[in-house]
Amino acid sequence: MSWLSKALNAVTGDLAGEVFGLVKAYLPPSMSEQDQAKLQVTLKQLQDKKELQTQEAETQALQEFNQRIRDLEGTAADLKTIPVLGPLVIFLRGCQRPLWGYLTMYLDVMWFSSWELSQQQQTAMIAINLLVLPFLFGERALKNLEPLLVRLFGKTSRD
């Protein structure tokens, strides 16, 4: 569920139930339970229809955004049309993640084995690791390391 859907659900919530509760006060007392149930079903169908329209609008907006990115930045297919340079750029773009990973691993090995770094350099190494490693291994890895990081570096901003 995207942030837009979450925001709309927070605003609308159980709209059909709320509307029915409000309308029930104005219904004639002679309205049968069956008619009230029909009205509640109709309101629920209206809510479902509005949610579907919202999801369709969200999907359309996401597709337009992705198309705008493709138009502005181009695609790998666009690069293939450029002789020599195009395939080189595609290759380098594909190598970026492994190169950063191996470079960071090399820097860490040197840091822990033979380098004598100043406090500022160590802080820079920690920053490099916090930038590169979550990118390589994902947010879940960083979440798993959060307790260790909190113990090493102090309280979080949520405290």
Side-chain angles (χ1 to χ4, degrees), residues 16 33 43 51 67 74 77 81 90 92 105 109 130:
E33 293 279 330
L43 289 172
E51 286 177 2
Q67 183 60 44
T81 61
I90 292 172
L92 292 174
M105 187 171 58
V109 167
L130 289 176

Side-chain angles (χ1 to χ4, degrees), residues 1-2 4-18 42-60:
M1 184 181 287
S2 74
L4 180 59
S5 296
K6 290 178 185 175
L8 289 172
N9 284 342
V11 171
T12 59
D14 182 25
L15 187 61
E18 291 178 26
T42 303
L43 289 172
K44 179 67 175 149
Q45 289 172 341
L46 178 64
Q47 178 183 357
D48 292 344
K49 181 180 173 184
K50 290 297 180 187
E51 286 177 2
L52 180 62
Q53 289 173 344
T54 300
Q55 290 173 355
E56 289 171 352
E58 179 183 355
T59 300
Q60 178 67 26

Side-chain angles (χ1 to χ4, degrees), residues 15-69:
L15 187 61
E18 291 178 26
V19 168
F20 181 74
L22 181 65
V23 169
K24 193 173 181 180
Y26 295 99
L27 294 176
S30 61
M31 189 172 197
S32 70
E33 293 279 330
Q34 189 177 23
D35 289 338
Q36 288 182 15
K38 284 181 186 177
L39 177 60
Q40 194 163 12
V41 167
T42 303
L43 289 172
K44 179 67 175 149
Q45 289 172 341
L46 178 64
Q47 178 183 357
D48 292 344
K49 181 180 173 184
K50 290 297 180 187
E51 286 177 2
L52 180 62
Q53 289 173 344
T54 300
Q55 290 173 355
E56 289 171 352
E58 179 183 355
T59 300
Q60 178 67 26
L62 184 59
Q63 289 172 346
E64 289 174 6
F65 175 76
N66 289 337
Q67 183 60 44
R68 188 174 328 124
I69 295 297

